[in-house]
Amino acid sequence: HGIPVIAISGNHDHAERLGHLGPITQASHVHLRTAVEQVNEPVLIGHTAIYGLPFARPARVRSAFALSSEDQPTFEDADALAYLTERARSHHAEHHADRTPVALAHAFVEGGGSEDEGEDPIVVGGAGAVPSSVFEGFAYTALGHLHAPRSIADGRLRYAGSLYPTSFAEAGHTKSVSLVTVQGDQATVEEHPLVPPRQMRILEHVTFDEALARAEAEPPSIRDAYTLVRVTDREPIDAAIARLRAWYPHAILEQDRGLVVGAGRAD
């Protein structure tokens, strides 16, 4: 439909591999920003200039811009991203001052809550978390990394969250798409819920037999969900997965083997 798409690489991505077709996809309005050297290449849409800030460790930023470790001995994740945003702001002031600056970034920003299960932690014990002040000067910053919608700095920074659950820790979470309208230097956000074709649920604090008995009473639409069944049984369960999936075809069984009597015996 000719709708421009802007994508940056995150901490799970191989940046070079993702971006190697960038010159070709750009002809189809798919703009990939996977190299830190591209921070001064905004995508111009309407009255906005959108800057893609791919995830990059300090060593990558140092190498790309020939920064000396002697000059910046404490160059950490937050410093590296601050360096990139400052380059983008300087470029914007010189070349696109008549447009509204918007940023895309992949980072763990202070005030966003905890990192999600299944994510490779960007920070350890809070060290390396990026202060929201790094994004001063941008009317709006769209953030990636955290899986649930979260707004920071009075909504000027926002995690839209993942489009679908990536672990059972997200069972029951409402996923959505954020529609952001930028007018002048103000941004407003509307959440549009996403309904996945198959739900995700957890059934716990039950014995295996209780789980099967409950399944008999549930409608097929519920039994069709991705279901994590945590059972309290202390004895090994014969043909457990086959019996469970006769009722819950997309189930995973979790039994604490530390509690199972006789687990691991050679007999």
PDB file of all heavy atoms in Angstrom, residues 184-200:
ATOM      1  N   GLY A 184       2.557  19.193  15.732  1.00  0.00           N
ATOM      2  CA  GLY A 184       3.536  20.105  16.288  1.00  0.00           C
ATOM      3  C   GLY A 184       4.549  19.313  17.086  1.00  0.00           C
ATOM      4  O   GLY A 184       5.118  18.338  16.599  1.00  0.00           O
ATOM      5  N   ASP A 185       4.773  19.707  18.343  1.00  0.00           N
ATOM      6  CA  ASP A 185       5.695  18.964  19.201  1.00  0.00           C
ATOM      7  C   ASP A 185       4.949  18.130  20.229  1.00  0.00           C
ATOM      8  O   ASP A 185       5.515  17.700  21.229  1.00  0.00           O
ATOM      9  CB  ASP A 185       6.671  19.915  19.905  1.00  0.00           C
ATOM     10  CG  ASP A 185       5.951  20.926  20.791  1.00  0.00           C
ATOM     11  OD1 ASP A 185       4.706  20.981  20.754  1.00  0.00           O
ATOM     12  OD2 ASP A 185       6.636  21.667  21.520  1.00  0.00           O
ATOM     13  N   GLN A 186       3.653  17.863  19.973  1.00  0.00           N
ATOM     14  CA  GLN A 186       2.834  17.061  20.877  1.00  0.00           C
ATOM     15  C   GLN A 186       2.458  15.737  20.222  1.00  0.00           C
ATOM     16  O   GLN A 186       2.221  15.668  19.013  1.00  0.00           O
ATOM     17  CB  GLN A 186       1.552  17.815  21.257  1.00  0.00           C
ATOM     18  CG  GLN A 186       1.804  19.141  21.966  1.00  0.00           C
ATOM     19  CD  GLN A 186       2.458  18.942  23.320  1.00  0.00           C
ATOM     20  OE1 GLN A 186       2.068  18.062  24.085  1.00  0.00           O
ATOM     21  NE2 GLN A 186       3.473  19.756  23.611  1.00  0.00           N
ATOM     22  N   ALA A 187       2.423  14.686  21.027  1.00  0.00           N
ATOM     23  CA  ALA A 187       2.056  13.365  20.532  1.00  0.00           C
ATOM     24  C   ALA A 187       0.933  12.790  21.385  1.00  0.00           C
ATOM     25  O   ALA A 187       0.973  12.876  22.613  1.00  0.00           O
ATOM     26  CB  ALA A 187       3.258  12.427  20.549  1.00  0.00           C
ATOM     27  N   THR A 188      -0.067  12.224  20.750  1.00  0.00           N
ATOM     28  CA  THR A 188      -1.160  11.540  21.447  1.00  0.00           C
ATOM     29  C   THR A 188      -1.177  10.079  21.005  1.00  0.00           C
ATOM     30  O   THR A 188      -0.835   9.768  19.857  1.00  0.00           O
ATOM     31  CB  THR A 188      -2.518  12.187  21.148  1.00  0.00           C
ATOM     32  OG1 THR A 188      -2.744  12.192  19.725  1.00  0.00           O
ATOM     33  CG2 THR A 188      -2.555  13.616  21.660  1.00  0.00           C
ATOM     34  N   VAL A 189      -1.571   9.205  21.922  1.00  0.00           N
ATOM     35  CA  VAL A 189      -1.504   7.767  21.668  1.00  0.00           C
ATOM     36  C   VAL A 189      -2.868   7.138  21.860  1.00  0.00           C
ATOM     37  O   VAL A 189      -3.564   7.410  22.847  1.00  0.00           O
ATOM     38  CB  VAL A 189      -0.490   7.085  22.619  1.00  0.00           C
ATOM     39  CG1 VAL A 189      -0.446   5.578  22.361  1.00  0.00           C
ATOM     40  CG2 VAL A 189       0.897   7.690  22.444  1.00  0.00           C
ATOM     41  N   GLU A 190      -3.250   6.292  20.898  1.00  0.00           N
ATOM     42  CA  GLU A 190      -4.450   5.457  21.029  1.00  0.00           C
ATOM     43  C   GLU A 190      -4.003   3.993  20.974  1.00  0.00           C
ATOM     44  O   GLU A 190      -3.249   3.603  20.096  1.00  0.00           O
ATOM     45  CB  GLU A 190      -5.432   5.712  19.882  1.00  0.00           C
ATOM     46  CG  GLU A 190      -6.050   7.089  19.839  1.00  0.00           C
ATOM     47  CD  GLU A 190      -6.975   7.233  18.638  1.00  0.00           C
ATOM     48  OE1 GLU A 190      -7.475   6.189  18.150  1.00  0.00           O
ATOM     49  OE2 GLU A 190      -7.158   8.363  18.177  1.00  0.00           O
ATOM     50  N   GLU A 191      -4.484   3.190  21.923  1.00  0.00           N
ATOM     51  CA  GLU A 191      -4.192   1.761  21.917  1.00  0.00           C
ATOM     52  C   GLU A 191      -5.306   1.011  21.196  1.00  0.00           C
ATOM     53  O   GLU A 191      -6.479   1.203  21.478  1.00  0.00           O
ATOM     54  CB  GLU A 191      -4.066   1.216  23.342  1.00  0.00           C
ATOM     55  CG  GLU A 191      -2.731   1.500  23.997  1.00  0.00           C
ATOM     56  CD  GLU A 191      -2.558   0.691  25.271  1.00  0.00           C
ATOM     57  OE1 GLU A 191      -3.085  -0.440  25.338  1.00  0.00           O
ATOM     58  OE2 GLU A 191      -1.909   1.199  26.200  1.00  0.00           O
ATOM     59  N   HIS A 192      -4.926   0.156  20.277  1.00  0.00           N
ATOM     60  CA  HIS A 192      -5.883  -0.688  19.566  1.00  0.00           C
ATOM     61  C   HIS A 192      -5.590  -2.141  19.934  1.00  0.00           C
ATOM     62  O   HIS A 192      -4.559  -2.693  19.531  1.00  0.00           O
ATOM     63  CB  HIS A 192      -5.776  -0.468  18.054  1.00  0.00           C
ATOM     64  CG  HIS A 192      -6.235   0.893  17.618  1.00  0.00           C
ATOM     65  ND1 HIS A 192      -7.488   1.121  17.080  1.00  0.00           N
ATOM     66  CD2 HIS A 192      -5.626   2.099  17.684  1.00  0.00           C
ATOM     67  CE1 HIS A 192      -7.624   2.404  16.802  1.00  0.00           C
ATOM     68  NE2 HIS A 192      -6.507   3.019  17.160  1.00  0.00           N
ATOM     69  N   PRO A 193      -6.473  -2.774  20.723  1.00  0.00           N
ATOM     70  CA  PRO A 193      -6.208  -4.131  21.206  1.00  0.00           C
ATOM     71  C   PRO A 193      -6.046  -5.137  20.069  1.00  0.00           C
ATOM     72  O   PRO A 193      -6.691  -5.035  19.014  1.00  0.00           O
ATOM     73  CB  PRO A 193      -7.446  -4.451  22.054  1.00  0.00           C
ATOM     74  CG  PRO A 193      -8.019  -3.126  22.409  1.00  0.00           C
ATOM     75  CD  PRO A 193      -7.737  -2.228  21.241  1.00  0.00           C
ATOM     76  N   LEU A 194      -5.183  -6.107  20.290  1.00  0.00           N
ATOM     77  CA  LEU A 194      -4.998  -7.225  19.375  1.00  0.00           C
ATOM     78  C   LEU A 194      -5.541  -8.490  20.035  1.00  0.00           C
ATOM     79  O   LEU A 194      -5.251  -8.750  21.196  1.00  0.00           O
ATOM     80  CB  LEU A 194      -3.517  -7.419  19.055  1.00  0.00           C
ATOM     81  CG  LEU A 194      -2.815  -6.284  18.316  1.00  0.00           C
ATOM     82  CD1 LEU A 194      -1.316  -6.568  18.229  1.00  0.00           C
ATOM     83  CD2 LEU A 194      -3.382  -6.087  16.933  1.00  0.00           C
ATOM     84  N   VAL A 195      -6.318  -9.245  19.300  1.00  0.00           N
ATOM     85  CA  VAL A 195      -6.870 -10.499  19.819  1.00  0.00           C
ATOM     86  C   VAL A 195      -6.194 -11.650  19.086  1.00  0.00           C
ATOM     87  O   VAL A 195      -6.424 -11.854  17.891  1.00  0.00           O
ATOM     88  CB  VAL A 195      -8.400 -10.567  19.624  1.00  0.00           C
ATOM     89  CG1 VAL A 195      -8.935 -11.888  20.175  1.00  0.00           C
ATOM     90  CG2 VAL A 195      -9.080  -9.386  20.295  1.00  0.00           C
ATOM     91  N   PRO A 196      -5.336 -12.418  19.762  1.00  0.00           N
ATOM     92  CA  PRO A 196      -4.629 -13.511  19.079  1.00  0.00           C
ATOM     93  C   PRO A 196      -5.590 -14.642  18.720  1.00  0.00           C
ATOM     94  O   PRO A 196      -6.623 -14.829  19.381  1.00  0.00           O
ATOM     95  CB  PRO A 196      -3.600 -13.968  20.115  1.00  0.00           C
ATOM     96  CG  PRO A 196      -4.208 -13.603  21.432  1.00  0.00           C
ATOM     97  CD  PRO A 196      -4.967 -12.323  21.182  1.00  0.00           C
ATOM     98  N   PRO A 197      -5.283 -15.392  17.691  1.00  0.00           N
ATOM     99  CA  PRO A 197      -6.166 -16.500  17.296  1.00  0.00           C
ATOM    100  C   PRO A 197      -6.218 -17.618  18.334  1.00  0.00           C
ATOM    101  O   PRO A 197      -7.170 -18.385  18.370  1.00  0.00           O
ATOM    102  CB  PRO A 197      -5.549 -16.999  15.982  1.00  0.00           C
ATOM    103  CG  PRO A 197      -4.133 -16.541  16.029  1.00  0.00           C
ATOM    104  CD  PRO A 197      -4.147 -15.251  16.780  1.00  0.00           C
ATOM    105  N   ARG A 198      -5.184 -17.705  19.181  1.00  0.00           N
ATOM    106  CA  ARG A 198      -5.179 -18.722  20.241  1.00  0.00           C
ATOM    107  C   ARG A 198      -4.692 -18.073  21.525  1.00  0.00           C
ATOM    108  O   ARG A 198      -3.643 -17.446  21.548  1.00  0.00           O
ATOM    109  CB  ARG A 198      -4.289 -19.908  19.850  1.00  0.00           C
ATOM    110  CG  ARG A 198      -4.262 -21.016  20.901  1.00  0.00           C
ATOM    111  CD  ARG A 198      -3.541 -22.260  20.392  1.00  0.00           C
ATOM    112  NE  ARG A 198      -4.331 -22.950  19.388  1.00  0.00           N
ATOM    113  CZ  ARG A 198      -3.971 -23.125  18.124  1.00  0.00           C
ATOM    114  NH1 ARG A 198      -2.805 -22.658  17.713  1.00  0.00           N
ATOM    115  NH2 ARG A 198      -4.758 -23.758  17.279  1.00  0.00           N
ATOM    116  N   GLN A 199      -5.456 -18.200  22.595  1.00  0.00           N
ATOM    117  CA  GLN A 199      -5.100 -17.595  23.867  1.00  0.00           C
ATOM    118  C   GLN A 199      -3.981 -18.378  24.561  1.00  0.00           C
ATOM    119  O   GLN A 199      -3.645 -19.493  24.174  1.00  0.00           O
ATOM    120  CB  GLN A 199      -6.335 -17.529  24.778  1.00  0.00           C
ATOM    121  CG  GLN A 199      -7.480 -16.683  24.222  1.00  0.00           C
ATOM    122  CD  GLN A 199      -7.107 -15.225  24.073  1.00  0.00           C
ATOM    123  OE1 GLN A 199      -6.475 -14.647  24.956  1.00  0.00           O
ATOM    124  NE2 GLN A 199      -7.482 -14.626  22.955  1.00  0.00           N
ATOM    125  N   MET A 200      -3.433 -17.761  25.606  1.00  0.00           N
ATOM    126  CA  MET A 200      -2.405 -18.397  26.416  1.00  0.00           C
ATOM    127  C   MET A 200      -2.876 -18.391  27.867  1.00  0.00           C
ATOM    128  O   MET A 200      -3.325 -17.353  28.361  1.00  0.00           O
ATOM    129  CB  MET A 200      -1.077 -17.641  26.259  1.00  0.00           C
ATOM    130  CG  MET A 200       0.081 -18.231  27.041  1.00  0.00           C
ATOM    131  SD  MET A 200       1.637 -17.359  26.692  1.00  0.00           S
ATOM    132  CE  MET A 200       2.048 -18.041  25.095  1.00  0.00           C
TER     133      MET A 200
END
